[in-house]
Amino acid sequence: MLSLAGIAGGVAILIGGGALMVRGASEIATRHNVSPIIVGLVIVGFGTSSPELVVNIIGAATGQSELAFGNAVGSNIANLGLILGITAFLVPITIQSSIVRRELPLLLLATTMITVLALDGPIEGRPAVIGRSDSFVLLLVFTIFVYISVLDMIRVQSKDPLLSDIALHTDVVATSTARFPWLMVLAGLALLYLGGEVTIRSSVAFAGSIGIPAAIVGLFVVSLGTSMPELATSIIAALRNESDLALGNVVGSNIFNSLVVLPVSGLIGKVNVPAGGIGDLVMSWVFAAILIPIFFLGKGRLGRGVGALMVVAYVAYAVVRLMQTF
């Protein structure tokens, strides 16, 4: 269908725009001696999640907030169930204790907060939404997390400067040779906007043509497309025996989706939680929580068998969720 092709094309433009913007921004940062810690945490972290962010911003601005919700939450579920499962099936992943102690609890906290904030509406007899006040709370939590992370990275780097490369999470800064980085950033932003417009319009048209809610398209179509950078990054990292990076990329992306992508959408226009949305949030929480017992029972290793089960669980969830729609 033409609308489905439009979604694929829009997502491809989004991914290309995000990559172009990250390369240009990284080159600008290195030319101005910006700390690798800041580059790795902010520029690269933002770059891998920029497709989700742009889709949600445009979706919220054009009144397609349910699609924005489905994209953010669907990306989180796909990252943990499908992408992490596929990566672990290809190359077993070592779960670092630092992720279990800090990032995973934060992700569980963020998901719990979103669920509670969304439920306050129905409790008071109103629709379930993520409003502006809710969004400010979530962004405040993210700001605190970034502050603590920067302090921790500075402490680690001060002990061993050779470890500063860990903060980059990518080779993009070291290998960038862009001659016109500002033009690359501007071109990347333009592509992100264009890709977001095409994706949103095509998604709405596709949902209308087959008679399903836009939230479902966001949950299982748009979210899978915008999660492709995370899939590529995780697989490459795992093949390079950098399994901590593979897991960190997924968990970090989910934190960004929960504490930046979704609340930014809520600041632009309240995000309506669609029918079944609370269940989607719970499923996202379950996929994250299950990594903790896997860490202790599997001696810190996410093997091929568990990876395959995670993929099967994601597919089963998708089938059940789609059956509920029709």
Side-chain angles (χ1 to χ4, degrees):
M1 299 174 67
L2 186 60
S3 55
L4 193 57
I7 295 175
V11 169
I13 296 172
L14 280 168
I15 294 173
L20 192 62
M21 183 197 65
V22 167
R23 186 179 176 193
S26 299
E27 179 68 22
I28 292 170
T30 53
R31 289 183 183 184
H32 291 83
N33 296 319
V34 176
S35 169
I37 293 174
I38 303 301
V39 175
L41 186 64
V42 179
I43 296 178
V44 177
F46 172 79
T48 57
S49 294
S50 56
E52 288 95 334
L53 180 60
V54 173
V55 166
N56 273 38
I57 288 175
I58 296 177
T62 56
Q64 299 295 332
S65 65
E66 291 192 356
L67 191 151
F69 177 90
N71 177 48
V73 178
S75 291
N76 282 3
I77 298 172
N79 283 345
L80 290 169
L82 189 64
I83 292 175
L84 191 60
I86 290 175
T87 305
F89 181 76
L90 294 175
V91 181
I93 295 174
T94 301
I95 305 176
Q96 299 295 321
S97 60
S98 60
I99 291 179
V100 176
R101 285 186 286 104
R102 187 174 62 184
E103 279 79 10
L104 272 178
L106 176 63
L107 179 56
L108 292 172
L109 173 63
T111 307
T112 302
M113 288 179 64
I114 293 170
T115 305
V116 172
L117 292 172
L119 283 172
D120 63 1
I123 291 174
E124 299 175 3
R126 296 179 286 106
V129 299
I130 302 296
R132 286 186 172 86
S133 58
D134 302 329
S135 300
F136 277 120
V137 172
L138 294 172
L139 287 171
L140 176 62
V141 174
F142 180 74
T143 302
I144 295 172
F145 166 68
V146 170
Y147 176 75
I148 294 174
S149 297
V150 169
L151 289 182
D152 186 53
M153 289 182 181
I154 291 174
R155 178 181 58 80
V156 171
Q157 186 181 19
S158 64
K159 289 184 178 180
D160 188 350
L162 293 177
L163 294 178
S164 61
D165 287 342
I166 296 176
L168 294 176
H169 294 311
T170 182
D171 295 330
V172 67
V173 175
T175 60
S176 179
T177 57
R179 295 183 60 186
F180 305 103
W182 281 109
L183 289 179
M184 295 182 70
V185 171
L186 293 175
L189 290 173
L191 288 175
L192 283 170
Y193 177 79
L194 175 62
E197 281 282 354
V198 172
T199 302
I200 290 293
R201 292 178 183 273
S202 300
S203 298
V204 173
F206 179 68
S209 66
I210 61 176
I212 65 172
I216 297 298
V217 177
L219 201 61
F220 295 111
V221 180
V222 180
S223 64
L224 289 177
T226 55
S227 293
M228 286 302 101
E230 285 86 351
L231 176 61
T233 301
S234 295
I235 290 178
I236 291 172
L239 292 176
R240 291 179 176 178
N241 293 320
E242 297 174 345
S243 57
D244 55 337
L245 173 55
L247 179 59
N249 170 61
V250 166
V251 175
S253 176
N254 281 22
I255 291 173
F256 197 90
N257 287 340
S258 301
L259 296 179
V260 177
V261 173
L262 196 58
V264 165
S265 307
L267 289 178
I268 296 172
K270 63 181 181 181
V271 176
N272 295 315
V273 179
I278 299 300
D280 298 327
L281 286 168
V282 172
M283 181 58 64
S284 174
W285 191 94
V286 169
F287 270 116
I290 198 147
L291 292 176
I292 296 177
I294 288 175
F295 171 78
F296 291 104
L297 298 177
K299 298 181 180 179
R301 191 173 180 82
L302 184 61
R304 288 187 170 89
V306 176
L309 287 175
M310 292 175 72
V311 174
V312 170
Y314 176 83
V315 173
Y317 152 75
V319 170
V320 171
R321 190 72 170 87
L322 290 171
M323 288 178 63
Q324 293 174 344
T325 304
F326 294 100

